[in-house]
mmCIF file of all heavy atoms in Angstrom:
data_model
loop_
_atom_site.group_PDB
_atom_site.id
_atom_site.type_symbol
_atom_site.label_atom_id
_atom_site.label_comp_id
_atom_site.label_asym_id
_atom_site.label_seq_id
_atom_site.Cartn_x
_atom_site.Cartn_y
_atom_site.Cartn_z
ATOM 1 N N MET A 152 0.831 -1.202 0.000
ATOM 2 C CA MET A 152 0.000 0.000 0.000
ATOM 3 C C MET A 152 0.868 1.256 0.000
ATOM 4 O O MET A 152 0.619 2.202 -0.746
ATOM 5 C CB MET A 152 -0.932 -0.003 1.216
ATOM 6 C CG MET A 152 -1.880 1.183 1.308
ATOM 7 S SD MET A 152 -1.158 2.665 2.081
ATOM 8 C CE MET A 152 -0.933 2.098 3.772
ATOM 9 N N TRP A 153 1.933 1.254 0.815
ATOM 10 C CA TRP A 153 2.824 2.410 0.882
ATOM 11 C C TRP A 153 3.584 2.614 -0.430
ATOM 12 O O TRP A 153 3.834 3.755 -0.833
ATOM 13 C CB TRP A 153 3.803 2.270 2.042
ATOM 14 C CG TRP A 153 3.220 2.693 3.349
ATOM 15 C CD1 TRP A 153 2.988 1.922 4.438
ATOM 16 C CD2 TRP A 153 2.790 4.015 3.708
ATOM 17 N NE1 TRP A 153 2.434 2.667 5.456
ATOM 18 C CE2 TRP A 153 2.309 3.945 5.029
ATOM 19 C CE3 TRP A 153 2.758 5.235 3.034
ATOM 20 C CZ2 TRP A 153 1.799 5.073 5.687
ATOM 21 C CZ3 TRP A 153 2.260 6.351 3.685
ATOM 22 C CH2 TRP A 153 1.789 6.262 5.002
ATOM 23 N N PHE A 154 3.928 1.525 -1.104
ATOM 24 C CA PHE A 154 4.578 1.657 -2.415
ATOM 25 C C PHE A 154 3.634 2.327 -3.411
ATOM 26 O O PHE A 154 4.050 3.155 -4.234
ATOM 27 C CB PHE A 154 5.017 0.281 -2.941
ATOM 28 C CG PHE A 154 6.162 -0.327 -2.164
ATOM 29 C CD1 PHE A 154 6.231 -1.700 -1.980
ATOM 30 C CD2 PHE A 154 7.152 0.462 -1.621
ATOM 31 C CE1 PHE A 154 7.273 -2.264 -1.258
ATOM 32 C CE2 PHE A 154 8.203 -0.088 -0.903
ATOM 33 C CZ PHE A 154 8.259 -1.458 -0.717
ATOM 34 N N LYS A 155 2.354 1.969 -3.344
ATOM 35 C CA LYS A 155 1.355 2.591 -4.222
ATOM 36 C C LYS A 155 1.201 4.079 -3.892
ATOM 37 O O LYS A 155 1.050 4.914 -4.791
ATOM 38 C CB LYS A 155 0.004 1.873 -4.080
ATOM 39 C CG LYS A 155 0.014 0.435 -4.578
ATOM 40 C CD LYS A 155 -1.247 -0.308 -4.177
ATOM 41 C CE LYS A 155 -1.161 -1.781 -4.534
ATOM 42 N NZ LYS A 155 -2.326 -2.558 -4.049
ATOM 43 N N VAL A 156 1.250 4.411 -2.605
ATOM 44 C CA VAL A 156 1.176 5.813 -2.188
ATOM 45 C C VAL A 156 2.363 6.589 -2.751
ATOM 46 O O VAL A 156 2.206 7.701 -3.268
ATOM 47 C CB VAL A 156 1.146 5.925 -0.649
ATOM 48 C CG1 VAL A 156 1.409 7.362 -0.200
ATOM 49 C CG2 VAL A 156 -0.199 5.445 -0.109
ATOM 50 N N LEU A 157 3.554 5.990 -2.671
ATOM 51 C CA LEU A 157 4.752 6.654 -3.190
ATOM 52 C C LEU A 157 4.662 6.881 -4.699
ATOM 53 O O LEU A 157 5.051 7.942 -5.209
ATOM 54 C CB LEU A 157 6.005 5.829 -2.854
ATOM 55 C CG LEU A 157 6.388 5.787 -1.371
ATOM 56 C CD1 LEU A 157 7.570 4.854 -1.160
ATOM 57 C CD2 LEU A 157 6.726 7.184 -0.857
ATOM 58 N N VAL A 158 4.129 5.891 -5.414
ATOM 59 C CA VAL A 158 3.949 6.034 -6.863
ATOM 60 C C VAL A 158 3.000 7.194 -7.154
ATOM 61 O O VAL A 158 3.252 8.003 -8.057
ATOM 62 C CB VAL A 158 3.397 4.718 -7.470
ATOM 63 C CG1 VAL A 158 2.895 4.948 -8.890
ATOM 64 C CG2 VAL A 158 4.476 3.649 -7.461
ATOM 65 N N ALA A 159 1.925 7.290 -6.376
ATOM 66 C CA ALA A 159 0.945 8.361 -6.581
ATOM 67 C C ALA A 159 1.511 9.738 -6.220
ATOM 68 O O ALA A 159 1.039 10.758 -6.723
ATOM 69 C CB ALA A 159 -0.310 8.085 -5.756
ATOM 70 N N CYS A 160 2.532 9.756 -5.366
ATOM 71 C CA CYS A 160 3.111 11.025 -4.928
ATOM 72 C C CYS A 160 4.099 11.612 -5.934
ATOM 73 O O CYS A 160 4.394 12.812 -5.882
ATOM 74 C CB CYS A 160 3.845 10.832 -3.597
ATOM 75 S SG CYS A 160 2.766 10.685 -2.173
ATOM 76 N N ILE A 161 4.623 10.787 -6.818
ATOM 77 C CA ILE A 161 5.714 11.227 -7.710
ATOM 78 C C ILE A 161 5.377 12.471 -8.518
ATOM 79 O O ILE A 161 6.141 13.442 -8.514
ATOM 80 C CB ILE A 161 6.158 10.066 -8.631
ATOM 81 C CG1 ILE A 161 6.835 8.964 -7.800
ATOM 82 C CG2 ILE A 161 7.100 10.569 -9.721
ATOM 83 C CD1 ILE A 161 7.139 7.703 -8.587
ATOM 84 N N PRO A 162 4.236 12.518 -9.241
ATOM 85 C CA PRO A 162 3.966 13.708 -10.077
ATOM 86 C C PRO A 162 3.939 15.010 -9.284
ATOM 87 O O PRO A 162 4.595 15.992 -9.659
ATOM 88 C CB PRO A 162 2.596 13.396 -10.694
ATOM 89 C CG PRO A 162 2.497 11.904 -10.675
ATOM 90 C CD PRO A 162 3.182 11.489 -9.408
ATOM 91 N N ALA A 163 3.185 15.034 -8.174
ATOM 92 C CA ALA A 163 3.060 16.268 -7.387
ATOM 93 C C ALA A 163 4.373 16.635 -6.708
ATOM 94 O O ALA A 163 4.697 17.823 -6.570
ATOM 95 C CB ALA A 163 1.949 16.121 -6.352
ATOM 96 N N ALA A 164 5.137 15.628 -6.277
ATOM 97 C CA ALA A 164 6.409 15.895 -5.607
ATOM 98 C C ALA A 164 7.391 16.572 -6.553
ATOM 99 O O ALA A 164 8.066 17.535 -6.183
ATOM 100 C CB ALA A 164 6.994 14.598 -5.068
ATOM 101 N N VAL A 165 7.472 16.078 -7.777
ATOM 102 C CA VAL A 165 8.404 16.647 -8.763
ATOM 103 C C VAL A 165 8.028 18.088 -9.088
ATOM 104 O O VAL A 165 8.863 19.000 -9.042
ATOM 105 C CB VAL A 165 8.420 15.794 -10.055
ATOM 106 C CG1 VAL A 165 9.231 16.490 -11.133
ATOM 107 C CG2 VAL A 165 9.006 14.415 -9.766
ATOM 108 N N ILE A 166 6.759 18.308 -9.399
ATOM 109 C CA ILE A 166 6.298 19.653 -9.755
ATOM 110 C C ILE A 166 6.384 20.593 -8.553
ATOM 111 O O ILE A 166 6.761 21.767 -8.680
ATOM 112 C CB ILE A 166 4.852 19.610 -10.292
ATOM 113 C CG1 ILE A 166 4.803 18.807 -11.596
ATOM 114 C CG2 ILE A 166 4.308 21.010 -10.500
ATOM 115 C CD1 ILE A 166 5.659 19.387 -12.719
ATOM 116 N N GLY A 167 6.043 20.086 -7.368
ATOM 117 C CA GLY A 167 6.087 20.912 -6.166
ATOM 118 C C GLY A 167 7.486 21.422 -5.864
ATOM 119 O O GLY A 167 7.680 22.591 -5.519
ATOM 120 N N LEU A 168 8.477 20.561 -5.999
ATOM 121 C CA LEU A 168 9.858 20.961 -5.737
ATOM 122 C C LEU A 168 10.369 21.952 -6.771
ATOM 123 O O LEU A 168 11.111 22.880 -6.453
ATOM 124 C CB LEU A 168 10.768 19.719 -5.706
ATOM 125 C CG LEU A 168 10.616 18.806 -4.486
ATOM 126 C CD1 LEU A 168 11.409 17.516 -4.685
ATOM 127 C CD2 LEU A 168 11.089 19.522 -3.222
ATOM 128 N N LEU A 169 9.968 21.757 -8.025
ATOM 129 C CA LEU A 169 10.480 22.596 -9.112
ATOM 130 C C LEU A 169 9.755 23.936 -9.237
ATOM 131 O O LEU A 169 10.376 24.954 -9.551
ATOM 132 C CB LEU A 169 10.380 21.838 -10.447
ATOM 133 C CG LEU A 169 11.246 20.590 -10.604
ATOM 134 C CD1 LEU A 169 10.961 19.913 -11.932
ATOM 135 C CD2 LEU A 169 12.731 20.947 -10.504
ATOM 136 N N LEU A 170 8.431 23.928 -8.977
ATOM 137 C CA LEU A 170 7.634 25.107 -9.326
ATOM 138 C C LEU A 170 6.838 25.687 -8.160
ATOM 139 O O LEU A 170 5.901 26.456 -8.379
ATOM 140 C CB LEU A 170 6.656 24.755 -10.460
ATOM 141 C CG LEU A 170 7.284 24.275 -11.770
ATOM 142 C CD1 LEU A 170 6.193 23.870 -12.748
ATOM 143 C CD2 LEU A 170 8.163 25.365 -12.387
ATOM 144 N N ASP A 171 7.197 25.367 -6.924
ATOM 145 C CA ASP A 171 6.414 25.799 -5.766
ATOM 146 C C ASP A 171 6.229 27.315 -5.730
ATOM 147 O O ASP A 171 5.109 27.818 -5.614
ATOM 148 C CB ASP A 171 7.084 25.319 -4.476
ATOM 149 C CG ASP A 171 6.287 25.700 -3.238
ATOM 150 O OD1 ASP A 171 5.117 25.288 -3.147
ATOM 151 O OD2 ASP A 171 6.821 26.430 -2.387
ATOM 152 N N ASP A 172 7.314 28.066 -5.825
ATOM 153 C CA ASP A 172 7.225 29.531 -5.764
ATOM 154 C C ASP A 172 6.482 30.103 -6.969
ATOM 155 O O ASP A 172 5.691 31.044 -6.839
ATOM 156 C CB ASP A 172 8.633 30.141 -5.690
ATOM 157 C CG ASP A 172 9.301 29.872 -4.350
ATOM 158 O OD1 ASP A 172 8.568 29.669 -3.363
ATOM 159 O OD2 ASP A 172 10.545 29.848 -4.289
ATOM 160 N N TRP A 173 6.728 29.532 -8.157
ATOM 161 C CA TRP A 173 6.082 30.017 -9.377
ATOM 162 C C TRP A 173 4.577 29.800 -9.314
ATOM 163 O O TRP A 173 3.796 30.674 -9.692
ATOM 164 C CB TRP A 173 6.671 29.294 -10.593
ATOM 165 C CG TRP A 173 6.175 29.824 -11.902
ATOM 166 C CD1 TRP A 173 6.691 30.859 -12.633
ATOM 167 C CD2 TRP A 173 5.029 29.347 -12.648
ATOM 168 N NE1 TRP A 173 5.960 31.059 -13.780
ATOM 169 C CE2 TRP A 173 4.929 30.151 -13.819
ATOM 170 C CE3 TRP A 173 4.099 28.337 -12.439
ATOM 171 C CZ2 TRP A 173 3.929 29.956 -14.764
ATOM 172 C CZ3 TRP A 173 3.100 28.155 -13.380
ATOM 173 C CH2 TRP A 173 3.025 28.943 -14.533
ATOM 174 N N ILE A 174 4.166 28.645 -8.802
ATOM 175 C CA ILE A 174 2.737 28.335 -8.671
ATOM 176 C C ILE A 174 2.074 29.305 -7.698
ATOM 177 O O ILE A 174 0.994 29.843 -7.967
ATOM 178 C CB ILE A 174 2.535 26.880 -8.211
ATOM 179 C CG1 ILE A 174 2.920 25.916 -9.349
ATOM 180 C CG2 ILE A 174 1.088 26.639 -7.788
ATOM 181 C CD1 ILE A 174 3.006 24.468 -8.910
ATOM 182 N N ASP A 175 2.722 29.544 -6.542
ATOM 183 C CA ASP A 175 2.171 30.480 -5.553
ATOM 184 C C ASP A 175 2.013 31.875 -6.150
ATOM 185 O O ASP A 175 1.017 32.567 -5.914
ATOM 186 C CB ASP A 175 3.079 30.549 -4.326
ATOM 187 C CG ASP A 175 2.904 29.339 -3.413
ATOM 188 O OD1 ASP A 175 1.944 28.574 -3.628
ATOM 189 O OD2 ASP A 175 3.725 29.164 -2.502
ATOM 190 N N GLU A 176 2.999 32.303 -6.948
ATOM 191 C CA GLU A 176 2.995 33.647 -7.520
ATOM 192 C C GLU A 176 1.902 33.829 -8.565
ATOM 193 O O GLU A 176 1.260 34.877 -8.635
ATOM 194 C CB GLU A 176 4.359 33.939 -8.146
ATOM 195 C CG GLU A 176 4.474 35.329 -8.762
ATOM 196 C CD GLU A 176 5.821 35.571 -9.415
ATOM 197 O OE1 GLU A 176 6.745 34.740 -9.228
ATOM 198 O OE2 GLU A 176 5.956 36.593 -10.125
ATOM 199 N N HIS A 177 1.669 32.807 -9.379
ATOM 200 C CA HIS A 177 0.760 32.960 -10.523
ATOM 201 C C HIS A 177 -0.664 32.448 -10.270
ATOM 202 O O HIS A 177 -1.613 32.927 -10.905
ATOM 203 C CB HIS A 177 1.339 32.234 -11.744
ATOM 204 C CG HIS A 177 2.548 32.903 -12.320
ATOM 205 N ND1 HIS A 177 3.813 32.707 -11.811
ATOM 206 C CD2 HIS A 177 2.682 33.783 -13.337
ATOM 207 C CE1 HIS A 177 4.680 33.423 -12.522
ATOM 208 N NE2 HIS A 177 4.020 34.091 -13.435
ATOM 209 N N PHE A 178 -0.826 31.464 -9.396
ATOM 210 C CA PHE A 178 -2.141 30.846 -9.248
ATOM 211 C C PHE A 178 -2.768 30.999 -7.866
ATOM 212 O O PHE A 178 -3.941 30.708 -7.699
ATOM 213 C CB PHE A 178 -2.064 29.350 -9.583
ATOM 214 C CG PHE A 178 -1.708 29.078 -11.017
ATOM 215 C CD1 PHE A 178 -0.609 28.308 -11.341
ATOM 216 C CD2 PHE A 178 -2.467 29.591 -12.056
ATOM 217 C CE1 PHE A 178 -0.268 28.054 -12.657
ATOM 218 C CE2 PHE A 178 -2.151 29.356 -13.375
ATOM 219 C CZ PHE A 178 -1.044 28.581 -13.680
ATOM 220 N N TYR A 179 -1.972 31.442 -6.870
ATOM 221 C CA TYR A 179 -2.532 31.568 -5.522
ATOM 222 C C TYR A 179 -3.222 32.928 -5.394
ATOM 223 O O TYR A 179 -2.695 33.869 -4.822
ATOM 224 C CB TYR A 179 -1.443 31.419 -4.455
ATOM 225 C CG TYR A 179 -1.984 31.129 -3.072
ATOM 226 C CD1 TYR A 179 -2.179 29.819 -2.642
ATOM 227 C CD2 TYR A 179 -2.323 32.158 -2.199
ATOM 228 C CE1 TYR A 179 -2.686 29.552 -1.380
ATOM 229 C CE2 TYR A 179 -2.829 31.903 -0.941
ATOM 230 C CZ TYR A 179 -2.998 30.587 -0.537
ATOM 231 O OH TYR A 179 -3.508 30.325 0.712
ATOM 232 N N ASN A 180 -4.400 33.014 -5.988
ATOM 233 C CA ASN A 180 -5.187 34.241 -5.925
ATOM 234 C C ASN A 180 -6.670 33.871 -5.968
ATOM 235 O O ASN A 180 -7.036 32.768 -6.389
ATOM 236 C CB ASN A 180 -4.817 35.182 -7.077
ATOM 237 C CG ASN A 180 -5.044 34.561 -8.439
ATOM 238 O OD1 ASN A 180 -6.180 34.354 -8.856
ATOM 239 N ND2 ASN A 180 -3.957 34.246 -9.145
#
């Protein structure tokens, strides 16, 4: 189950690390 959770986390983790500040600046409104 935890392996499946980790697989599901990959897309958001990658984008979150790379674009966290950019997302907050452009979409957090």
Side-chain angles (χ1 to χ4, degrees):
M152 182 276 293
W153 277 116
F154 291 146
K155 294 169 187 175
V156 166
L157 291 176
V158 166
C160 284
I161 292 172
V165 172
I166 296 299
L168 288 171
L169 294 176
L170 300 176
D171 182 59
D172 290 335
W173 186 88
I174 290 169
D175 283 349
E176 181 182 350
H177 290 83
F178 296 123
Y179 197 90
N180 59 70

